[in-house]
Amino acid sequence: MAVDDVDSTLAAMGPRLRAAREHRGATLAGVSCATGISTSTLSRIETGRRKPTLEMLLQLSKEYGLSLDELAGTAPAPAAEPRAIGPLSFGDDKAVLPLTRYVGGLHAHKHILPALEDPPARPRQVSHEGYEWLCVLYGRLWLALGDHDLVLTAGDATEFDTRTPHGVANAGIGGPVEYLIMFGPQGERLRLRTAPGAGSPNPRPHAHTRSRRSGER
């Protein structure tokens, strides 16, 4: 492999490493604690300001459960009947079921928040590069988006720039919440394409958002 190809491959790993970390719901501080790589170094690698060493890549591939080929974007296409991906569990009992394997672009996963016995506190918010589309399948989801609080129920969907501080929680008591998320780490947005209508031979794609204010909780 030529030197230019190596440099390009290493540079492209930054967004993939960031997507892999965010896909697991991990913070830079958490990954730093698990791998011994400083948060500043991790941040510079993810933003392309520093090239990762082989030792760093081995530690990160182990932490994220990915091969070096997957991080480099050279992994072969999955077989016709890929092995099922099991759900990931987090400390707050949230379960995440990955629905896609590719970590370098738009990917999807299903989240399940457990039932609560007591009213929840306002969700802790995070922000990062990217764009997210969310759809509730079951239950009532509290979405804290910046200074706004929304309660979404089954069939409600919303989309937002993830640079806006955001967080979610189960908005009800006695039942779980299930929702789908599609996320683009570099800001990819979903495009809703519709069939041409009468008098509109060339319709433009558009996005649709449904949501409810917190007063409806």
Side-chain angles (χ1 to χ4, degrees):
M1 182 181 290
V3 173
D4 289 345
D5 292 337
V6 172
D7 290 340
S8 297
T9 299
L10 290 174
M13 283 186 175
R16 293 193 181 96
L17 288 167
R18 180 176 60 193
R21 174 177 60 79
E22 293 171 349
H23 186 68
R24 293 178 62 87
T27 64
L28 287 172
V31 175
S32 174
C33 182
T35 63
I37 305 172
S38 70
T39 55
S40 60
T41 297
L42 290 170
S43 178
R44 294 181 65 190
I45 290 174
E46 289 186 359
T47 55
R49 291 177 294 167
R50 174 167 178 171
K51 297 177 184 178
T53 64
L54 178 58
E55 181 181 358
M56 292 176 182
L57 289 175
L58 290 173
Q59 290 174 304
L60 292 171
S61 67
K62 181 179 180 181
E63 176 66 15
Y64 298 147
L66 299 171
S67 68
L68 291 179
D69 281 340
E70 287 176 307
L71 291 179
T74 58
E81 296 182 359
R83 182 180 60 184
I85 305 175
L88 306 174
S89 296
F90 295 85
D92 56 3
D93 293 329
K94 177 175 70 174
V96 177
L97 179 64
L99 302 179
T100 53
R101 295 185 62 87
Y102 180 55
V103 299
L106 192 69
H107 53 273
H109 36 283
K110 178 180 178 180
H111 291 234
I112 303 174
L113 296 176
L116 300 176
E117 296 181 357
D118 301 309
R122 191 171 195 264
R124 180 179 64 86
Q125 294 180 307
V126 297
S127 61
H128 50 82
E129 292 291 330
Y131 202 86
E132 186 167 299
W133 179 88
L134 182 154
C135 178
V136 178
L137 302 177
Y138 178 84
R140 303 173 72 238
L141 182 71
W142 183 354
L143 171 63
L145 188 60
D147 296 330
H148 301 285
D149 291 284
L150 308 173
V151 172
L152 310 176
T153 60
D156 284 346
T158 189
E159 58 179 351
F160 54 90
D161 189 320
T162 53
R163 289 174 296 185
T164 301
H166 58 282
V168 296
N170 190 336
I173 298 176
V177 180
E178 298 183 14
Y179 57 101
L180 294 177
I181 280 181
M182 292 190 71
F183 173 74
Q186 285 79 49
E188 297 92 337
R189 296 183 59 172
L190 299 180
R191 297 179 298 277
L192 178 62
R193 299 188 182 276
T194 58
S200 301
N202 296 301
R204 299 180 63 184
H206 61 279
H208 175 67
T209 303
R210 284 184 61 206
S211 62
R212 291 188 174 89
R213 292 289 179 181
S214 59
E216 298 183 27
R217 288 194 288 131

